[in-house]
Amino acid sequence: MFDLVVRGGTVATEAGTECADVGISGGVITACGRRLGPGTREIDATGRLVLPGGVDAHCHVDQKSSSGLMTADDFFTAGVSAACGGTTTIIPFAAQHRGQSLRAVVEAYHERARSRAFVDYGFHLIVSDPTPAVLEEELPGLVADGCPSLKVYMTYDALKVTDRQMLAIFDAARRAGAIVLVHAENSDAVAWATGRLLAQGLTEPRCHPASRPAAAEGEATNRAIALAELAGADVFIVHVSCREALAPIAAARARGARVWAETCPQYLVLTAADMDLPGFDMARFICSPPLRNRDDQDALWGALADGQLDLVASDHAPYRLRDPLGKMVHGEDAPFTKIPNGISGLELRMPLVYSAGVRTGRIALAQFVALTATNPARIHGLYPRKGTIAPGSDADLAIWDTGLERVVAQADLHDAMDDSPFEGRVVTGWPVTTIARGEIVWHAGKVAGEPGRGRFVARTSRLA
Ligand code: DUC
Ligand code: ZN
Ligand code: ZN
């Protein structure tokens, strides 16, 4: 007798699909096959797709930005939103600001997450102050405690590291068994392009993309990879948005370099042209790197299809649009340089990519599973516990109605935002039931589960 049986669905993994029942006991998948015995509870998944719960490897939750703003979502609202969108594991950041102990930062995030988390979570570290104590004493211990990844910024004055610091970080990460995530934009190029716009009085939100040119992302991506190779470190380029960044990634992988990379839904379905309207509403699209053009979009889809990009993460960075503690922190007439960067997307990540990718034939279903669940789990030390449907894995599943068509409306979403950059978009294919460690947390339009049900998942070091 199982605790729960998901019966008669089409089970999809990165290896293909099969018509099978999934048997769950004690929060774990214990059997997958035809005509399984009964469960205390059963869900009929006939005519539905059964997918591994998604793993969102890049999101910002209960995080203070370098300018002191908090994200709108905490671990509860973010987790509910994730679950309603078919994602059952998230990896947000524990962000160090200069002068802080990295260990103390991580402990504070643990404290806030423990009582509020709705889905399982890990932490990437953000290192902005790579002192010898941080790199030699704190980092190895934090990796051993289950955080084998850290992010560095090549831009933003309060966060950015120099090339020399980046080399020291790569070196320490290699020795500790961590992968280094890089926000790759050339800071001086961005400052120069920004200055040129401001000098012409071009300050509206829609001018933001021109202030962060694709060349700046391409140059920094190439440099980050070169420095990682020099130090022998594993490097992961986050939020790749353009052809200029894809080229050095593909070249590095062709020569066997240890380089991984992601893109995000906003770069796959939106372009800078969506912003080309006057007024503050366009601030909803401000993110960094910025939205690009149709040609970049095509290149990103091509890179997902041919395996040059490893995963799709949301980069959920929720700052409410019409809120003095959000995008309006400096008022409605603020220049684009003063508007917080970030787009929400935890809940829509998988439906957007399914709808725009699988239904259109740009990527296959098995690739969708790999890009949204299996690869992020594997790259970030969660596999096979997370990211697949197999005996022994956590019972994290989503049952999808692939024909369900909905128009995106913020009012239907579960995050703490007041606005979505994807508002009004028609999306076909949605999770109708989500199961997290064997518990039905989203079903028939209702959320079930308490704050604190999500657990920290210690991830495996790259040395293990
Ligand atoms: N970088 C991120 O990774 N997320 C939000 C904004 C940013 O610059
Ligand atoms: Zn970033
Ligand atoms: Zn981010």
Side-chain angles (χ1 to χ4, degrees), residues 194-206:
T194 303
R196 204 169 52 163
L197 289 164
L198 297 183
Q200 296 171 72
L202 297 171
T203 62
E204 287 181 280
R206 69 194 164 106

Side-chain angles (χ1 to χ4, degrees), residues 58 151 153 183 238-239 288 315:
H58 181 164
K151 181 179 179 189
Y153 286 81
H183 179 128
V238 292
H239 45 48
S288 295
D315 196 6

Side-chain angles (χ1 to χ4, degrees), residues 281-305:
D281 278 359
M282 296 308 113
R284 66 161 61 99
F285 297 113
I286 288 190
C287 59
S288 295
L291 303 179
R292 304 293 188 189
N293 59 38
R294 186 72 60 177
D295 177 59
D296 291 305
Q297 218 175 64
D298 289 344
L300 293 171
W301 280 112
L304 291 176

